[in-house]
Amino acid sequence: MEKKESFTCPHCEQKLPFRVILKVKKDHVFTCPLCREAVVPQKTKSFTWGYIIGLLSFALPQQIVFYLHQDNVLAFLIGFLHAVTAFGLVSLYFYFNTKFSKAIAKSCTPILLVILSKWVIGVF
């Protein structure tokens, strides 16, 4: 059994761009920007955790710095630095640990079209 490389499209076997990380959700089908085929992530967490961790890493250090120094600008800068760092680290974690598989169908529309076309061909 060959090892699947993380963040690689199973159709075209190319690495997906880093910006696709914002589209990845558990059991969410999306289109590969390189080959336009449907892919779905395997065993991944929702990127919502990145937003939550980013918010907490902004709010907590910012409040601590503001409490200790009573300086709004310094508190905001420290909070912003922590949020960007946490958001980046969570993004890298998802990028290096998410694997994709081919999606069966992006929606039920193609399945209905196949069934309908077989029925129409069978009738005529």
Side-chain angles (χ1 to χ4, degrees):
M1 190 166 116
E2 67 183 68
K3 181 182 175 187
K4 282 190 173 182
E5 192 171 338
S6 63
F7 234 74
T8 303
C9 175
H11 297 283
C12 62
E13 300 293 329
Q14 294 182 8
K15 282 285 228 189
L16 295 172
F18 188 75
R19 69 179 183 273
V20 174
I21 195 92
L22 299 174
K23 294 182 182 179
V24 175
K25 292 183 182 172
K26 187 175 183 180
D27 298 330
H28 175 75
V29 178
F30 67 93
T31 305
C32 171
L34 303 172
C35 65
R36 304 287 184 226
E37 294 290 335
V39 295
V40 65
Q42 301 173 347
K43 298 181 184 177
T44 186
K45 303 279 190 249
S46 173
F47 195 74
T48 306
W49 284 107
Y51 296 117
I52 293 169
I53 292 172
L55 176 68
L56 289 176
S57 64
F58 172 78
L60 294 176
Q62 183 257 352
Q63 287 297 319
I64 292 169
V65 169
F66 183 72
Y67 177 76
L68 294 175
H69 298 284
Q70 298 294 316
D71 185 4
N72 285 333
V73 175
L74 180 64
F76 178 79
L77 290 175
I78 296 293
F80 186 74
L81 177 66
H82 280 88
V84 169
T85 303
F87 191 80
L89 290 174
V90 169
S91 298
L92 286 174
Y93 171 79
F94 283 123
Y95 187 77
F96 289 123
N97 291 308
T98 302
K99 295 177 180 30
F100 295 99
S101 62
K102 296 178 182 179
I104 295 172
K106 191 165 184 173
S107 69
C108 63
T109 306
I111 295 170
L112 292 175
L113 289 174
V114 169
I115 293 171
L116 185 62
S117 66
K118 287 184 180 182
W119 179 74
V120 169
I121 292 172
V123 171
F124 296 108

